[in-house]
Amino acid sequence: MASEKLHVLAHPIVNARLSKLRQTSTTPKEFREGIHDISMILGIEASRTLEEETFQGETPIGPFTGTVIKPRIGLTPILRAGMGMTDALLNLFPAARVYHLGIFREKVSLQPVEYYSKLPPNPTVDLVFLLDPLIATGGTACAALNMVIEWGIPVNSIKLLCVLASQDGLRRVQSEFPGVELWVAAVDPHLTTNGLISPGLGDTAERLRDVDALLVDDDALGPSTPKLKAVANDLQRIAELGALTASTLVEYIASRTASSSSVFVYDLAEQAGFGSLTKSWAEAGSGTAPVVSLQTRAGAGLSIVGRLSQGTSKDAAKGAVLTAYTTPSGLAAMAQSLAYLPPATSTSRLVIQVPTVTPVGEHFALSPTLAPFIPALPLLPEGLTILLSATPQEAIELATLSYQLTNTHVVHLFDHHSATRETGHVVVPPVVLPETNLTVEEGLKKAGLSAFEYVGDQNAETVVVLLNGPLALTAKGLAGRISGLGVVIVRVLRPWNEDALRNVLPATVKRVHVFDDVPTETTHGALYLDVFATLLNPLQRGPVVKALRVVPSRTQEFLSDPASFFTFIADLLPSPVSIPSLAAPNHKKLLFFSTPNTTLSALPRMVETVFLPHKALSSRLLTDYDVFSRPGGVAADRIVLSPRQDEAPFIPLSAVLPISPRSSGVADFVAVVDPALLKSHDVLSHAASESPVLVVTDATAAELVASLPSEVAALARERDLRLCILDAKELVSGIAKGNAHVQKALENVIVLLAFLRLYLGPAATEDLVAKIARADLGDDVQGVDLTELVSKAWHGLVEIELPAPEATPDADKPAAATLKHFECNAIAVETADGETVVNGARLGTWHDAAKHILFPSAFTPPGLTYSSPEEQNPALRPELPERTYLITCTVNRRLTPLEYDRNVFHLEFDTRGTGLKYEIGEALGVHGWNDAGEVLDFCAWYGVDPDRLITLPVPGSDGTRVHTRTVFQALQQQIDLFGKPTKTFYTELAEHATNIADNYALRFIGSPEGSATFKKLSEKDTVTFADILRRYESARPGIEVLCELIGDIKPRHYSIASSQAVVGDRVDLLVVSVEWVTPSGSPRYGQCTRYLAGLKVGQKVTVSIKPSVMKLPPDHKQPIIMAGLGTGAAPFRAFLQHRALLASQGVPVGPTYYYFGSRHQSQEYLYGEEIEAFILDGTITKAGLAFSRDGPRKVYIQHKMREDGADLARMLWDERGVFYLCGPTWPVPDVYEALVDALVDHAGVSREKAGAFLEGLKEEERYVLEVY
C-alpha cells in the first residue's frame, strides 16, 4: 500500500485527538472539535508543496518581500460528514470556494449513490481539497473523485483529505486513481460485513450531529416555524395546536419507515415546496425512509418501475413500498413509464403523493390546475387508484389511506396550492397500518368520506361535477346558497365507479355540467368522458351532459377573482339568480404585506400565535410569495379568524380572502410593514371600506402623505380608510441599547401590540391589549416590562388625516403611477437547519428565487458560474455525459444515383428551440440507434422479452447512478450490440460459458497468446458482439450483465457541412453509407450511417457538438487552400458558404482554392451545382476537380495541386495561407510531397527546409488535417 502519493500522519497531537474520537463517551461537541483539529493539521501538512507568488510590501519598519498562495483553492466536502472538516480548511484558506457533493452509501449493496452536486458548469479553481472523514470501502471517495475529474480538475490537482481510512479503501482509491494525493490521519486494518471501519469511529455524520442543534432556540418572537425535531417526536401535540400544515403532515406520513421503504423526490415537487422537509428529516435520521432525488425528464418513473419489476431489482425480491413526490406536470411525464408497473402486492407497490401546484402564465403564477396531467390519464395502467383531496383533514385521511391499501398502486393529489399549506387547522394524524384486502370504498367510509359527494338542492335540475380541489370547495359553498343547484365532488377518479355516481345524482337532474381541467379549449377532458359514459343510456332519455372546458388561465381568473367564478356557476342555471356572498359576518380577514427575511417578516406568524390557543377562535394563516414583481420579493400573509365551532363548509382562503387585481376591498385589516410597497404595489385596494390600515415606517405623517401616489391617496379617501403609521424602530431603539437581537424582537412586539389595538377597535384599552398579549408573551419581553411596551405602542400609533385633493387641471396632473399586482409564484419552506428553501432552491437572497423559477435547471447560488440560457434537456439520453440536443430531420436526399455502388446522402436538421450552436468546421456527434429488426431478432434468439424493464448503470457514474428502460430500448439505443468486441469482452464472457470448450476458446482469444485469433476476428471477419454470442451459445449472462459487458454505443462524429451564420437554425451533414461483406459472405453495415440513411423526415435525432481543428483563419484576407476527397468536402461547403456571406457584406476576403476528388463527375460530384455557382461568383478563386475514373489515366487531387504549385507556394510561404485536407488517410503522403515540391520549385528552399516549414505550419494551425 506504500506510495509516494499516500501520506499517513504520525503526529502525537493527531494520535491523541483520534483516540478521543474513538471513545463512545465522546460528546458531539468534543467530536466536532476533534475532527476540526485533525482536519486543520491535515490541511497544513497537505499544503506544504503549494506554489507561492511573491509581492512587495511595507511593514512599519521597512519594505519586505511577502508571499501568497498562487493556485485558486476549492474545498469539496462530501455531505454530510465532510462538513465537519470544512471550517478547519476555511480557516487556512478563507477565500476558498466551497462546492458540496452529496453521496451516500446504499446500505445493502454498500455502493455509493450520488444525490447532490454544487459543482458549477466549469471549474473556477486550480486545486481541490476533497474532504471525506472516513474512507471505508472507498466507493464514495472514488465516486467523488470521478465527479471532480469529470468536472475538469486534473487528478494531480486533487488532494484527498481523510481522518481515518481502511486498508481496503485506500487500496481501491490508489488502484483507480493512482495520481491522486492522499493525506490520512490514520489507517485501520479491517472492515466489518456492513462496510464499517474496525475499530473505526462509528457513523461520523451521526456523531458530528449535535441533537440540540436541530432545535432552533425559541426567542421572544414565538415559534416562527414548527420545529422539525418536534415534528418527529411530538406530532400529535403540535397537530392538535394547529401549528403544522397538512402538507407537512402528508410528508411526515409518507416518509416514515413504517409507510415507505424509499422516497423518491422529484425536482418539480421540490420546486412546489414539497419534499425539502423529507430530505431534512432524512439527514436528521429521525425514522425517515431513505430519500433519492430525481429529475423530471422523458421516461421519468422508469427507475421506480424497475425497482418494483420482478427479476430486475432487489427491491422486488425483498418487497418494497416506494413513495414518489411529483406534481401534475411530473405525473404526466411519468405516465408512459407507469404503464409498465407490475401488479401491486402487499409488500411491493407504489404510492405517488402529488401536490397540485403548476406554474402558469408569463409570471409563472402558481395554480392548482390539473390540466397538465389530465391528457396523460388514459396512459395510466388499469388497477391504479387515483384519490383527490381538498381540505386539510381530507389530505391527511387520503394520504393515510394511500398506505393502508395493499392491493393497488395509489396516486394521491392534494391541494398544496392553498388548503394544505394553511396553518391553524386542528388535524388528527392517524396511525398508518396497512390493512390486507381493504378496498377504496371501505377505506373512505372509515374516514367518513365517499368517492362522490353531492351537496346542494336535493331537487336540483342543474348539477356541476368537479374534481376535488379549491374550486370544487368554492362551488360546494355556493350550492348551499343557490336554489336549484347541485354540486358533485369527485374524490376517486380511478377506479371509476359508475354506480356510485348515478346513486348520488338527484332524480330531478336534467343538465350535468362537467368542469374539466384541460390544457386547451379544443381538448376533451377525461372527467367529461367518464361522466358522459356513465349517464349515457340508449334505452331511456337521461340528463344532458355538457363539458365546461377550463384552461389554466381561466382557473387562475376564478381563483384570483372568485366573483367571476360565482357568476360562471350562476349562469349555468336556466333562470337568473342573485349571486350570493361566501363571506360570513363573524369572520375577520387580515392581510399583511411585507418583504421576506426582513425584521418584521415574522409578524403574521406572531399574530396567528396569539389566537391559536384560544378555544373559541379558529385562526387560519396562508403565506404566499411574489418574487418577480420586485427585487427581494413580496410576501402576502392572509389570516382569517372565525368562531371555532363554525359549521360552515370549508372554503379555501383564496376564495374567502382573494388577492385580486380588481379587488373591491375584502380585508378587515391591512398591514404594510414595508412602506415602499405603497408606491410599487396595489396593496390598499384590498382594504374594505372604513377598515384600519397599519403602515410601519420611519417617515412622519406629512412625509408619508407627500410620498403617496395620487391614486393611492384617492382610494384611501374614497373608502374612508383609517391610515395609521408606527415607527417601531424609533420606539424601541432607546430600550434595545444597540443589541440587534433585542431590537428585532421588540420591534415585532411593538407592531403586534399596535395591531391588537386596531383589531379590537373601539373596545381597545391599554389594559385589554396588555391582557391579551400577556397570555402569549408573558410579563416581560427581553427584560422589558410588557406594560411599558404597550404604552409605547399605544402612544406611538398615529392616525393620518388625508387632506382633500388640490384642484389641478387635468393637463397639469402627473401621469398615474403603474402599481403592480401581487401574484403568487413561489412557495417557501424552512428546513431543520434554518435554511429557507424557495421552489426547491436553497437561496442566498430572495432575489435569487426569481432566477430559480425562470431557470430552474441553470440556477446556481451567487458566486458560481451561471450556465448558458439554453440548458441541457434532461430528456435527451440521460445516460450520456455530454451536452445533447434533440433535432428534427427535414431533408434526407441521396446525392449519388440509385444504381451507383456508393450511397452518398445529404441531411438537413431543424435546430429551432434547441439552443444548438456550432462554429464553422465543428463536428456533429450523432447518437445512433441499432437496427430495430436486428435487435428484435437477437432478443428472440437470446430468449429475452424485449418489453421487460432493466436497470443499468449510467455511463461514467462508476455505478453510482442508474436508469431504467426496456430491454429493447437498451439494446436499440444504448448498448453497442453490433459493435466490435474488445479483448476483455472475451475474457469476461468466458466466466459465463457453461460449455468447457466455449470457456477455453473465449479465454484463449482474450489472452496474449490469442492475439492473432483476436486480430483475425476483429479485422478480417469483423465480428460483432452478437456474432460472438451466437458462436459461443453456452455463454449466456443475464441481460443486465450482458449490457454491462458490452458497453455503450459511442457517438459517431461527422463534419458539419453548413455555416450557421448562413443557414440559421439548421445543421447539414454529408454522409456515405458504410457497407461491406465479410470473407464468409455476411453483409456488414456501419451502425450509424445505416441509422442516418434510414431517417425519415420529421424524425428526431439526439446529437452533440465536438470541437474540431478545421477552423477558418482569424484574418479573412488570409488565403485558404482546401482539399477534400468524397465526403471530406463537408467542412469546405461550410467554409465556402461563410466566405460567400462575407463577400456579400462587402468584407474583403483572401484567395480561396478548392480541390475536390472523387471517382466519376457524373455520379459523385458532391454539391456540384453549388461549387459551380461559387466558381462563377468568385467565391472560389480556383478549383481543381479530380475525377479519377473519367479519363484515360487516373487523376487525383495531388496532380491538380502540382499544376498550381507556384500559387500554393506563394500563398503558404509569403501570404500566411492555410492548407486543409479532409477525407481518407491514403492521399496524405502524396499531398505532402506535392506541397514540398511546390516550395522547393517556387520558394527556392531545400526539401529539408520545405518539410520543416510544413511541420511548423502544423504548430501554427496552418497545415490542418482531418483524415480517417
Side-chain angles (χ1 to χ4, degrees), residues 177-226:
F177 301 94
V180 73
E181 209 174 293
L182 289 130
W183 291 84
V184 186
V187 181
D188 277 359
H190 304 297
L191 283 177
T192 69
T193 55
N194 293 329
L196 298 177
I197 301 174
S198 177
L201 301 176
D203 187 335
T204 309
E206 195 65 23
R207 296 188 70 187
L208 279 169
R209 178 177 62 87
D210 184 350
V211 175
D212 296 334
L214 290 177
L215 295 172
V216 183
D217 290 335
D218 290 333
D219 55 25
L221 298 183
S224 61
T225 297

Side-chain angles (χ1 to χ4, degrees), residues 716-738:
R717 282 190 292 265
E718 177 187 333
R719 295 191 184 172
D720 195 18
L721 300 179
R722 291 183 58 203
L723 198 58
C724 302
I725 62 172
L726 182 75
D727 188 352
K729 186 175 183 180
E730 176 63 26
L731 289 173
V732 302
S733 59
I735 51 180
K737 299 178 182 178

